[in-house]
Amino acid sequence: MRKILVTGAVGQIGSELTMYLRKKYGDDKVVAVGHRTQPSEKLRNSGLFDFMDCTNIKQVENTVKKYDIGTIYHLAAVLSAVGEKNPQTAWNVNINGLYNVLEVARENKSAVFVPSSIAAFGPDTPKDNTPQDTIQRPTTIYGVSKVAGELLCDYYYLKFGVDTRGVRYPGIISYETLPGGGTTDYAVEIFYKAIKNKKYTCFLKEDTMLDMMYMPDALKSAVDLMETDPSKLKHRNAFNVTSFSITPRLLAEEIKKEIPEFEIDYDVDPEKQAIADSWPNNLDDSIAKEEWGWSPTYNLRAMIKDMIEKLSEKLKKQ
Ligand code: AKB
């Protein structure tokens, strides 16, 4: 078996996807690469780790050749809120980095998984039950890079036969590694604050509805899609996937059932609110269900219970 490369491996999804893939395919089969941030001991000691800048095509080429990479999970990206602070860097990493990965994949006959996002939709998109194929006119640089990325991935498949596949992730909730500058980050921060301080000040309005998913389902969706027999896929880049749609108020009410003293208040960040308002309330993920059997394991209650239990254990050790 050729090896698997995970870019952005020190990030929120990458750090857990690397361990998930190592468990599934073997520790020596998965190469984790980060940009500059040092990896955790767990990540470094459980298998191969290297540094790579995806905006430098030579470095991408050297890494893919050095380890004989057959599949790339390309997670390195600048997220929505940080992207609006520095659109030039977001474009460079999200588009030039992706182009480099696709070019090297073409030359080395590697398959590529690239996450898209609910951010690939915009204010003109139908907000409820957002269809798989619909208007995509996002108004953030992150969203623009995600739509361009989806098209570029489909182009590399159609033109060169590169096996590209992707999902449109909603906000991902997890306890291992903090997310790095997204609009949905409140849904992770709220758990840390609920456990530690019993109080959270949310940067989005209480009724802001967005799709979310617990990390185990995010990992499963990526790997299940990459494992699917390609003859079943009519779509490729990228599939709507979701687990539940929530507002900050609803999430806080549900957390209160586990931590009764918990209180939430609001100090709205207008930039982040504008981003959230431009995204759908909830996606229709029936095409992913139909074409490759997507089905989330965690509903809202199951996620909350597991998240509070695992994060409490983690915070006790710190
Ligand atoms: C973000 O908020 O930027 C990300 C995303 C929804 O893609 N979590």
Side-chain angles (χ1 to χ4, degrees), residues 79-81 116-119 142 169-172 181-185 279:
L79 296 184
S80 58
S116 184
S117 162
I118 52 172
Y142 176 65
Y169 277 136
I172 306 297
T183 306
T184 56
D185 292 11
W279 292 351

Side-chain angles (χ1 to χ4, degrees), residues 14-30:
S15 57
E16 295 204 47
L17 181 64
T18 301
M19 301 310 295
Y20 184 88
L21 291 167
R22 284 182 178 159
K23 196 162 165 215
K24 188 171 172 73
Y25 299 107
D27 287 345
D28 56 334
K29 292 285 183 287
V30 182

